[in-house]
Amino acid sequence: MQLPDDAEVSDEIWDEVIEGMKVRVQDKIHAIRVFAVRAVSRFAIDEDDGGIIDIFLEALEKEQNAEVRKMIILSLPASNATLEAIIESTMDVNESVRRAAYSVLSTKFPLQSLSIKQRTTLLHRGLSDRSVPVNDECLKMLKDEWLVKHCAGDVIALLRLLDVETYESVGESVMGVLLKDGAVRVQDGHTIRHYFTTNPEADEQVSSIKLMDAEVALYWKVMCRHLQAEAQVKGSEAATTTGTEAAVYASEASDTNDLLEGVLPSTVAEYVDLVKAHLSAGPNYHFASRQLLLLGGMLDFSDSMNRKVAGSFLYELLIRPLEHEVDEDGNQIAIGDGVSLGGDREWAKAVSELAKKVHASVGEFEMVTAIVVEELARPCRERTADFMQWMHCLAVTGLLLENTSTLRSLEGKAIEPPELLQSLLLPAAKQNHVDVQRAALRCLCLFGLLQNKPGTELVKQLRLSFINGPDLVSAMASKALIDLLTWHGPQVLDQAIGIEQDANDGKTQFAPVDISDLNDDDLNVGVLSILFSGFHKDDWEFSLEGDNHDNVPTILGEGFAKVLLLSENYASISSDLHPVILAQLVRLYFLEGTKELGRLKQCLSVFFLHYPSLSEKHKRCVSSAFVPLMRAMWPGIYGNAGGSGPVVSKRRKYAGQAARFMVQMVQTPLFSMESTDQATMSPESLPSSPSPSVDFDISEEGLAIRIAVEVANCQEKKSAPGKAYAVALCKVAVLLRFRQSEQKAIKCMRGLVSTLAASTSSDKELVKELAQMASRLKSLDECPEEELPQDQADAIFEKLGLDGGIKLDANRVVPPTPAPRSVRAAPTRRRARRAPSSSDDSEAEAEAEAESLNITSVSRVPATPSMTAARAQRASKTAALSKFTAAAPSDSEQDEQSDVTTDEDPSDEDSS
């Protein structure tokens, strides 16, 4: 590394050194890997680098040590081949690697070499990173390199390189951090008023308006909000302090307010003219119009003339027809999401904010908006409106309902709630046009949320639209039903259609429903069962059209996750259904590979992280959901489609991933658990006489017993899929650990291990692991000679919700016998005597325990006479040591032994 470039070294030696360093990049010691990467990186600059970059990229993908990953990132040269790998490293689990990635991107890759998507992705990740050093490194790249070096300090030019119309949130974040850092300030004389120009040669002073680009409009929106917030903070500080300090704060607040007033249009009339000019300019200035519309909340509407001018402008905004296009056949196509005013949720939000600021008196907003709704609803009620008029009317209706706190505020207005429901919303839901149905269902949902109890016709229509509607309509109906269900509860929705007693009360499974054959007459099926049946429909279409690109599986997944989190609020939902819901969510998370479910998987990843730690009830649900999940995911079991070849392998892979994931969830500590520290201690460090515990059913002990009973009761375990299923479950069971305080659970599991071993006797390695598990359980048993009575075992099974359970093996402990003497002649060469070791003892214990489990089908190589005697001696030693359980090797000791003998570097535990 320190040898100068002009050193006189032959090419042969250089090549030899490079080849040696390539080998050392794969060394088992991470410090050597670090130095090898540093050494060989000086040869990765040339185009013909001998594959060094490929070696780096391959090593980066597999490397588990953070220091090595960091060094590889710092050593990669700037090229198209390395750019994507460095960008991916901005999501590394280690913050030092993420920071190194931003440092390399800042110094080695010019701004113009990155695409707009890459620029915005990097800024979104870096500015929202939880690590302060990573935030600082990203800000340094943004400010010092991108803004100062590449844009000459012009923030507008920087925003143009980020496409703020597409990535508005990134543009706002960039402006926010630069304003907070002080890198961007209002320049002297720079104001919105400069966009008003007058012609001095004209007879009358007629002003013309210069249109703003999208970046300029965003700049002024964020800048004005920043000035307003800064003035409010200074004013609050002045109000909470006294003396000179208060005077300083008051002066600063006054200066900031003066600066804000100097930036904004001088009058409300000028502001209205500015927005109208951009609206008249066409769709290309829609983004700028919305940014300017949000500035209205900072103006003063205390004067009656200002309110009159603004009110007239708002009326024009509300009655402004929706923008549309005409296709080749002359059909009109609405632009936007089809449900919001202006076709844009953000535009509708901007209009509502301005309207509530202008019409701030109590009931004034509802009165003005209801007048517009009544006017737009006339052709709809007269059945003369086309679908564009229907959508426009429903968009304004949705704006009204979304910003109204109660239906009582609409009583006595131009259109009252009953008339609104019967003459507009329900007829609109029966229209033929898909977008009209979607808009109507959204309004029905908002209407139902404002009711004390949803009406019968409203609930019936939502159910019918979910069952029979097209996929986009079903998606909106499912969203409406989920919202009403979480707000009112499923029992209230069922009672609205005549189901007095909840159909899910006390149930362990949802009612089987085929929504393709369901009709409006099947009113005895609860709404929860209907929604859950949506998971089992395989022909949902994934379309990028519609509200927020939502689809039915995503909506249902997020909705049922919310039901589980808020389960305390829904007493009518049987707790036995919670594991069924959780198992379905895990299955959806692992099995579905459709890219359109990306948002759902992000939502569920956060949900799974927090759900098991909330309470004992939630953790018990996780343990209870394991068996239903495996039954649903494993191919060829309990009627599941088995498939063949790669399909089976892929499904089994997903099932294995889900099983390990569920084990992690069970191992998650409870936030409210008083014995958290005790639960994480090793069995040997626990008190010798622990107090009785009752939480085994929510921990690893309960999951292990559930797995054992599932293996024992599996009716298909003689078939090939059944054998593979039993082996997979047993491989999970041996990973679970028992606490010494759970003596009954330990004894119960000891009586079940023999059943597990008998079901997986063809797998030699697994039989050894089960024997080691039995040995561990025996060492934890305070009275290993005493058996658990069957009635107590049945009580454990009942607590775990296992119907029938299983009879424990009373003959599980059989005194080990020496292996049969081989009939083969002894070898002429005598074997060297080997000193006994602890590993021999543990292996002998495992073999003896395997023999005690009556496993006779495992083929063994006959031992030689001399080795048979040694084995018998170790077996006798094991039998003697079993009487002294305190001397048995503990789990922690075994772990220490494995750490000593492993070839892996202990510091390589960090995983990317």
Side-chain angles (χ1 to χ4, degrees), residues 62-359:
K62 300 178 180 179
E63 182 58 56
Q64 295 185 351
N65 185 271
E67 286 298 321
V68 182
R69 296 199 305 273
K70 175 182 175 182
M71 185 53 59
I72 294 176
I73 292 296
L74 294 175
S75 302
L76 286 174
S79 67
N80 293 332
T82 61
L83 177 58
E84 283 300 326
I86 298 175
I87 292 177
E88 287 298 317
S89 296
T90 58
M91 295 190 298
D92 193 277
V93 67
N94 187 277
E95 69 174 35
S96 65
V97 179
R98 301 197 301 273
R99 184 179 180 185
Y102 278 102
S103 176
V104 171
L105 290 166
S106 176
T107 56
K108 295 184 180 181
F109 292 88
L111 176 59
Q112 289 75 10
S113 66
L114 304 175
S115 66
I116 293 178
K117 178 64 175 177
Q118 291 170 337
R119 299 167 193 167
T120 54
T121 299
L122 290 173
L123 292 175
H124 174 71
R125 293 175 185 171
L127 297 179
S128 61
D129 198 286
R130 291 174 294 180
S131 171
V132 175
V134 178
N135 289 147
D136 295 340
E137 195 66 40
C138 181
L139 178 59
K140 181 180 178 181
M141 176 188 71
L142 172 65
K143 184 177 66 173
D144 298 343
E145 297 294 328
W146 292 9
L147 177 62
V148 176
K149 183 178 294 186
H150 296 285
C151 298
D154 187 356
V155 68
I156 301 295
L158 176 61
L159 293 176
R160 287 195 174 97
L161 297 175
L162 300 178
D163 187 12
V164 295
E165 289 192 72
T166 305
Y167 305 100
E168 181 180 356
S169 61
V170 175
E172 291 181 349
S173 299
V174 168
M175 280 291 299
V177 296
L178 292 177
L179 286 169
K180 185 178 180 180
D181 187 71
V184 176
R185 297 180 181 177
V186 179
Q187 299 178 0
D188 294 338
H190 198 194
T191 173
I192 297 178
R193 299 177 186 180
H194 289 168
Y195 289 87
F196 295 89
T197 59
T198 57
N199 185 4
E201 298 179 358
D203 297 335
E204 297 181 1
Q205 295 295 326
V206 179
S207 62
S208 61
I209 298 175
K210 180 182 177 181
L211 299 178
M212 293 184 186
D213 294 335
E215 298 79 17
V216 177
L218 178 71
Y219 167 86
W220 282 118
K221 181 194 73 173
V222 179
M223 177 63 74
C224 292
R225 283 183 170 179
H226 172 75
L227 294 176
Q228 185 185 43
E230 186 177 359
Q232 291 175 350
V233 170
K234 296 298 182 181
S236 299
E237 292 176 345
T240 56
T241 56
T242 58
T244 306
E245 187 178 8
V248 172
Y249 287 141
S251 177
E252 292 177 350
S254 178
D255 293 341
T256 306
N257 275 321
D258 293 340
L259 180 60
L260 177 61
E261 291 179 3
V263 166
L264 292 171
S266 57
T267 63
V268 173
E270 283 190 356
Y271 163 75
V272 171
D273 293 338
L274 181 65
V275 180
K276 283 184 177 180
H278 287 79
L279 285 173
S280 302
N284 292 336
Y285 287 89
H286 181 81
F287 180 86
S289 301
R290 178 163 58 82
Q291 307 302 312
L292 296 174
L293 196 63
L294 292 170
L295 296 178
M298 306 176 195
L299 300 176
D300 182 16
F301 297 102
S302 58
D303 183 78
S304 60
M305 182 57 68
N306 289 341
R307 288 199 304 274
K308 183 177 180 180
V309 173
S312 176
F313 174 58
L314 280 170
Y315 177 78
E316 295 179 15
L317 290 177
L318 293 175
I319 65 171
R320 180 184 176 88
L322 299 179
E323 296 181 357
H324 65 276
E325 297 177 348
V326 180
D327 61 9
E328 298 177 353
D329 299 328
N331 299 319
Q332 294 181 345
I333 302 175
I335 298 177
D337 59 14
V339 296
S340 302
L341 182 65
D344 183 357
R345 183 180 295 274
E346 295 299 324
W347 174 264
K349 182 179 178 181
V351 173
S352 64
E353 289 182 3
L354 180 61
K356 287 187 289 187
K357 182 68 181 295
V358 175
H359 304 293

Side-chain angles (χ1 to χ4, degrees), residues 692-880:
S693 177
V694 293
D695 65 345
F696 70 88
D697 58 325
I698 68 173
S699 300
E700 298 179 62
E701 297 92 351
L703 179 56
I705 296 174
R706 285 187 172 98
I707 292 174
V709 174
E710 171 67 7
V711 172
N713 293 335
C714 180
Q715 300 177 357
E716 302 291 335
K717 59 185 176 183
K718 292 185 179 181
S719 63
K723 291 179 181 179
Y725 179 62
V727 169
L729 291 182
C730 291
K731 287 183 178 180
V732 175
V734 297
L735 299 176
L736 302 172
R737 294 294 180 264
F738 282 66
R739 295 165 294 176
Q740 194 169 13
S741 58
E742 304 297 340
Q743 285 294 305
K744 290 186 178 180
I746 291 172
K747 288 183 177 294
C748 180
M749 192 63 193
R750 287 189 65 194
L752 296 172
V753 173
S754 59
T755 303
L756 298 181
S759 301
T760 59
S761 57
S762 60
D763 193 318
K764 299 178 183 179
E765 294 299 325
L766 183 55
V767 169
K768 288 184 179 180
E769 294 179 4
L770 290 170
Q772 293 173 0
M773 180 181 185
S775 178
R776 289 196 304 268
L777 292 172
K778 187 175 182 179
S779 66
L780 294 174
D781 195 343
E782 295 178 351
C783 301
E785 303 302 327
E786 296 182 4
E787 299 176 359
L788 184 68
Q790 186 63 40
D791 58 342
Q792 296 186 19
D794 293 339
I796 292 177
F797 296 147
E798 182 180 358
K799 183 171 184 178
L800 294 175
L802 303 173
D803 296 333
I806 188 175
K807 186 176 181 181
L808 300 184
D809 186 2
N811 299 320
R812 65 183 183 278
V813 178
V814 179
T817 58
R821 185 177 298 273
S822 174
V823 297
R824 191 176 66 180
T828 57
R829 184 177 178 181
R830 187 173 182 179
R831 294 179 181 267
R833 185 180 299 275
R834 184 177 63 176
S837 62
S838 59
S839 61
D840 293 334
D841 294 339
S842 62
E843 182 179 359
E845 288 183 22
E847 293 176 353
E849 193 67 33
E851 292 174 356
S852 70
L853 294 175
N854 298 325
I855 305 303
T856 58
S857 60
V858 179
S859 60
R860 297 180 181 271
V861 178
T864 61
S866 59
M867 294 303 295
T868 301
R871 177 179 298 175
Q873 182 180 2
R874 289 198 302 270
S876 300
K877 180 181 178 181
T878 302

